[in-house]
Amino acid sequence: MNTRRLLLLAALAGLILAYFVLDLGRFLSLDYFKSQQQAIEAWRAEQPLKAALAFFVAYVLVTGLSLPGAAVMTLVGGAAFGLFWGLVLVSFASSLGATLAFLASRFLLRDWVQKRFGDRLRAINAGIDKEGGWYLFTLRLVPVFPFFVINLLMGLTPLKTRTFYWVSQLGMLAGTLVYVNAGTQLAKIDSLAGILSPGLLGSFVLLGIFPLIAKKVVDALAARKVYARWQKPARFDRNMVVIGAGSAGLVTAYIAAAVKAKVTLVERHKLGGDCLNTGCVPSKALIRSAKLLSHIQRSQEFGIRDAKAEFDFAEVMERVQRIIKTVEPHDSIERYTGLGVEVIEGSAKIVSPWEVEIVANSGESVRLRTRSIVIATGGRPFVPPLPGLAEVGYLTSDTVWNLRELPRRLLVLGGGPIGCELTQAFARFGAQVTQVQQGPRIMVREDPEVSELVVQRFRAEGIAVLLNHHAKAFVVDHGEKILIAEHQGQEVRIPFDALLVAVGRVANLSGYGLEELGIAAERTVATNEFLQTTYPNIYAAGDVAGPFQFTHTAAHQAWYAAVNALFDPFRKFRADYSVIPWSTFVEPEVARVGINETEARERKIPYEVTVYGLDDLDRAIADGEAHGFIKVLTVPGKDRILGVTIVGEHGGDLIAEYVLAMRHGIGLNKILGTIHIYPTLAEANKYVAGNWKKAHAPQRLLAWVGRFHAWRRG
Ligand SMILES: Cc1cc2nc3c(=O)[nH]c(=O)nc-3n(C[C@H](O)[C@H](O)[C@H](O)COP(=O)(O)OP(=O)(O)OC[C@H]3O[C@@H](n4cnc5c(N)ncnc54)[C@H](O)[C@@H]3O)c2cc1C
């Protein structure tokens, strides 16, 4: 740090120290003002200029040094100088003080912060360059963050000083007016009647509701700003156009039609989207056949000496297609048309905030004017840019369903839920499966022991699970396809016949107008808590909006998107993500709701753990599935559930009881007090609650009860 900086730092530190050491803060209180009110008023009457100057300088010092007391001083400004002069003085003094604090933070810290965190700040810097003034204006108008924090943080950004000054002055004007006005009323209190006077009460009501009004103003201004370059149609053809007929789009359209809105649903490929055609439904159908085979292989465990399965993989895959066909009517054009939804098979593109252009598969095109739009365009498998990938050829969760011949050696790249489910299923059909995972464990969202249990099972079933293997490239060597990976600094070559890439999914963000309209999207379409995008009448739901990638969360978001899109501004709801369950359908099934231990530790949430081993459960023993566990996290000393992980047979079904409990605030005591049918897997839920109860038994009371019984025995 150079000398000038050091000197400034020393001066500032000295002043701040003096403030605290001399306890100058006592002068910045309403009590002090009240005690001195008469003297201050007399001084102001005698020497108005001097009094105003002294107040101005004091205000600039307090705000420039970021000392506490600006709010009180604003009230005092109103009380001492009245509404007009109080407003003028406070407005200029606060803007000047804020600018001094801004400059001090810039001079002392900006270079260092930008040097140190420049990479991470790049996006913020670009945003400030482009929209800094507007951003500051909203922060000033809606006082969510303390005044001094905004001054100091803005000093670290590239925002121009001039802009900072005038935007601050303008943005703070309304808030200052409300405070100064409240101050003028404070000056008048000298009795209980004064406290209850309409003027004072009105001022304080205004003080309370100002942030809400300011938020509405900011929202309205922001909306005006985004819509500025568009011409709003005078009339609309539709209440809503939904783009994409996957889980999110179908549910959105369903709800819209149910509440009698005129809605058009556009789908460019197949109704039902990923879940029906290439996701949940086919994968679960495949897993079912694979599970049957695994049971046949385990027949001796069940007392059956010899059970053989003869099968043709192509027939298994045909069954998968039949299952899709059976479920298809739930998501069909006929059903949705019957419900009152207009369904168009074709490609949709947003061309203005209120217009969607649809090119139907028939070749016809139509432009619909709509009050609201819901983007439900889903996602697709992510294919990493690895050298040689195109040459060796690869399958994804989109294309694997076309296979009719079982690959002899299947390489699965990726250890997430989709990779794991398909790994186990293909291995059970007899493919030699190698699963390659970059990190130290598979299913990384779950606790380490969960990953470990699944890996153990995979390995026991003959799957080669290669952890910490970093895929580098693919080659074809003498006609053999090979993955070149790096493992502990060594090159590893893994031969295979077919490759399944399952390293995650990305949202569909291009080709339908997001870029042209400037709808913010990075990994997913950016939405607020109401699922509104940059344009408040355009919403997004499902995989394209994230952060979850499940059918049930897509449907959950769809409800909010539909209701908010149709009823805003009269009523809108924040999407509630407080209790989100999910399951990975490997064997043993892994299901979760709420937090696990890893997350609790990361987020520093205090918790207690209660575990029940399913090897103890009568039904699991009878079924030959006595493995896995239920782990419940609770608030220390209380039965309130923070999260549950189940690893075991039908975990995805068993978790439902905890989802209900968490959603409705039911604790373990109530689960324990509920009758569960014997012998079922669901009894495990009661037993884990019993374990919790035993650990929390009131030992002292029990000791007394023991004495009571001893006394009764005589
Ligand atoms: C193998 C696999 C297994 C899965 N298993 C499960 C599971 O067991 N449980 C679970 O909850 N989830 C599972 N999922 C995830 C689930 O499938 C998705 O979360 C869900 O499908 C997301 O629904 P969506 O409506 O957001 O998107 P999608 O289902 O992808 O639908 C989006 C639709 O939009 C259409 N579209 C896109 N752009 C346009 C346009 N411009 N015009 C017209 N139409 C357009 C697409 O054609 C598509 O049909 C699985 C996924 C995969 C891949």
Side-chain angles (χ1 to χ4, degrees):
M1 197 176 270
N2 64 28
T3 330
R4 279 166 53 207
R5 282 202 175 114
L6 272 177
L7 280 175
L8 178 68
L9 193 65
L12 291 177
L15 285 168
I16 293 170
L17 203 68
Y19 171 87
F20 286 106
V21 171
L22 303 175
D23 190 20
L24 298 179
R26 73 194 132 111
F27 301 119
L28 298 178
S29 73
L30 280 180
D31 284 347
Y32 179 77
F33 170 73
K34 276 279 157 240
S35 69
Q36 301 296 318
Q37 188 172 356
Q38 281 182 350
I40 292 172
E41 276 171 7
W43 185 43
R44 195 215 58 216
E46 262 172 45
Q47 298 187 305
L49 264 180
K50 246 192 202 165
L53 192 67
F55 174 77
F56 188 87
V57 172
Y59 202 113
V60 171
L61 274 175
V62 166
T63 47
L65 292 170
S66 303
L67 296 172
V72 171
M73 285 201 76
T74 308
L75 292 170
V76 169
F81 298 97
L83 185 61
F84 178 74
W85 284 112
L87 178 64
V88 171
L89 286 170
V90 171
S91 175
F92 280 93
S94 59
S95 308
L96 192 63
T99 309
L100 289 177
F102 166 90
L103 286 171
S105 131
R106 170 161 294 183
F107 183 65
L108 291 174
L109 292 171
R110 188 178 66 175
D111 289 352
W112 178 79
V113 170
Q114 291 290 347
K115 210 158 120 195
R116 184 108 208 252
F117 305 105
D119 282 351
R120 272 176 266 171
L121 291 178
R122 201 161 294 137
I124 297 180
N125 289 343
I128 292 283
D129 264 345
K130 208 169 133 217
E131 299 243 46
W134 165 250
Y135 186 54
L136 174 63
F137 181 74
T138 60
L139 286 175
R140 288 302 194 200
L141 198 60
V142 188
V144 185
F145 296 104
F147 165 80
F148 78 96
V149 173
I150 300 172
N151 303 337
L152 299 179
L153 286 183
M154 279 291 164
L156 306 177
T157 71
L159 186 73
K160 287 198 181 78
T161 311
R162 207 169 353 121
T163 313
F164 179 84
Y165 177 83
W166 76 258
V167 172
S168 293
Q169 181 129 29
L170 198 72
M172 291 191 295
L173 204 58
T176 306
L177 181 67
V178 172
Y179 266 81
V180 172
N181 176 50
T184 61
Q185 300 301 312
L186 270 183
K188 293 177 192 158
I189 315 177
D190 33 38
S191 67
L192 196 62
I195 292 176
L196 297 175
S197 76
L200 191 74
L201 289 179
S203 295
F204 277 97
V205 167
L206 210 58
L207 217 57
I209 61 171
F210 174 72
L212 301 176
I213 298 172
K215 172 88 177 62
K216 289 271 171 227
V217 172
V218 166
D219 287 351
L221 287 175
R224 259 182 79 128
K225 202 160 158 276
V226 290
Y227 291 119
R229 66 186 167 114
W230 305 100
Q231 179 75 36
K232 188 174 180 178
R235 300 193 69 248
F236 299 102
D237 310 309
R238 301 286 182 275
N239 296 93
M240 183 191 283
V241 171
V242 184
I243 307 178
S247 316
L250 286 167
V251 177
T252 307
Y254 180 107
I255 292 166
V259 296
K260 305 294 176 209
K262 197 165 181 191
V263 54
T264 297
L265 174 66
V266 192
E267 171 54 55
R268 69 176 175 196
H269 187 44
K270 287 181 180 171
L271 264 77
D274 271 341
C275 185
L276 172 63
N277 299 295
T278 54
C280 335
V281 175
S283 61
K284 268 75 252 178
L286 188 75
I287 286 169
R288 184 66 190 92
S289 300
K291 189 168 183 172
L292 175 63
L293 275 182
S294 88
H295 283 171
I296 293 171
Q297 277 154 11
R298 289 170 54 197
S299 69
Q300 285 183 4
E301 269 182 50
F302 298 97
I304 302 187
R305 196 180 315 134
D306 193 18
K308 283 203 181 64
E310 257 180 47
F311 74 97
D312 180 347
F313 182 69
E315 282 170 28
V316 171
M317 294 305 260
E318 286 308 329
R319 172 183 177 270
V320 169
Q321 291 308 315
R322 281 201 305 281
I323 301 289
I324 294 175
K325 286 267 166 291
T326 313
V327 178
E328 218 168 52
H330 302 167
D331 298 348
S332 64
I333 298 183
E334 295 69 31
R335 175 167 181 235
Y336 276 78
T337 310
L339 289 167
V341 177
E342 180 194 35
V343 183
I344 302 182
E345 287 181 286
S347 233
K349 182 170 180 176
I350 307 171
V351 289
S352 92
W354 302 278
E355 286 170 303
V356 178
E357 192 155 276
I358 302 163
V359 181
N361 292 349
S362 61
E364 272 174 55
S365 77
V366 59
R367 187 178 276 223
L368 291 179
R369 286 171 304 180
T370 174
R371 188 168 262 287
S372 60
I373 298 169
V374 177
I375 300 169
T377 49
R380 61 183 188 284
F382 171 65
V383 179
L386 287 170
L389 189 58
E391 287 71 28
V392 293
Y394 60 91
L395 300 160
T396 65
S397 61
D398 277 357
T399 55
V400 69
W401 313 109
N402 302 331
L403 274 185
R404 290 296 176 270
E405 211 175 299
L406 184 71
R408 191 172 68 82
R409 294 171 303 175
L410 177 69
L411 181 77
V412 178
L413 205 59
I418 296 175
C420 286
E421 286 184 3
L422 293 175
T423 288
Q424 191 177 43
F426 273 87
R428 287 177 164 187
F429 288 116
Q432 272 175 43
V433 184
T434 305
Q435 187 180 25
V436 171
Q437 165 72 338
Q438 186 164 328
R441 59 193 185 91
I442 58 172
M443 295 176 59
V444 287
R445 284 183 77 171
E446 309 304 338
D447 278 340
E449 77 263 32
V450 176
S451 310
E452 189 48 41
L453 258 177
V454 176
V455 166
Q456 274 173 18
R457 178 69 176 249
F458 277 18
R459 288 185 173 145
E461 292 189 12
I463 297 163
V465 184
L466 304 182
L467 304 173
N468 294 311
H469 278 65
H470 190 67
K472 288 284 187 203
F474 292 92
V475 291
V476 182
D477 195 356
H478 294 92
E480 186 168 57
K481 296 172 183 177
I482 293 172
L483 164 69
I484 299 175
E486 187 196 303
H487 175 60
Q488 296 177 342
Q490 307 281 324
E491 185 180 291
V492 182
R493 293 167 74 88
I494 306 158
F496 61 90
D497 300 311
L499 165 68
L500 174 69
V501 175
V503 291
R505 294 174 57 78
V506 286
N508 288 326
L509 299 175
S510 60
Y512 59 92
L514 294 187
E515 306 90 338
E516 292 84 340
L517 265 83
I519 295 176
E522 218 171 292
R523 294 161 77 101
T524 52
V525 171
T527 55
N528 64 11
E529 64 265 58
F530 301 105
L531 295 170
Q532 290 169 303
T533 66
T534 310
Y535 293 86
N537 73 315
I538 304 181
Y539 292 72
D543 282 10
V544 75
F548 309 102
Q549 293 181 328
F550 304 113
T551 290
H552 46 278
T553 48
H556 180 69
Q557 288 181 325
W559 185 89
Y560 290 96
V563 172
N564 290 345
L566 293 171
F567 296 106
D568 183 43
F570 305 107
R571 187 81 174 92
K572 60 180 173 179
F573 299 85
R574 282 187 176 79
D576 175 1
Y577 299 130
S578 53
V579 183
I580 302 285
W582 64 83
S583 181
T584 304
F585 297 90
V586 285
E587 215 179 327
E589 220 159 272
V590 176
R592 176 131 77 89
V593 59
I595 54 170
N596 62 6
E597 280 197 82
T598 313
E599 286 168 3
R601 268 186 238 119
E602 276 167 12
R603 291 160 54 187
K604 299 197 175 11
I605 299 175
Y607 67 94
E608 269 176 19
V609 183
T610 308
V611 178
Y612 174 74
L614 293 169
D615 53 349
D616 179 65
L617 186 71
D618 292 2
R619 182 55 187 265
I621 296 168
D623 283 354
E625 302 295 350
H627 51 80
F629 59 81
I630 300 186
K631 177 158 66 164
V632 181
L633 269 62
T634 42
V635 173
K638 299 211 168 97
D639 72 337
R640 190 160 75 78
I641 304 165
L642 294 170
V644 181
T645 301
I646 303 184
V647 184
E649 184 75 350
H650 294 303
D653 295 298
L654 294 185
I655 200 106
E657 188 165 358
Y658 298 105
V659 180
L660 184 79
M662 286 185 72
R663 185 75 184 85
H664 298 287
I666 297 168
L668 289 179
N669 274 316
K670 290 225 166 85
I671 292 182
L672 184 62
T674 306
I675 299 176
H676 291 65
I677 295 172
Y678 180 84
T680 56
L681 294 177
E683 270 191 306
N685 292 342
K686 188 178 161 111
Y687 292 143
V688 73
N691 282 356
W692 177 86
K693 191 74 183 174
K694 268 182 247 154
H696 292 84
Q699 296 304 339
R700 269 209 207 130
L701 182 67
L702 285 177
W704 279 105
V705 176
R707 279 183 209 129
F708 165 76
H709 289 307
W711 169 74
R712 298 253 292 182
R713 286 195 300 273

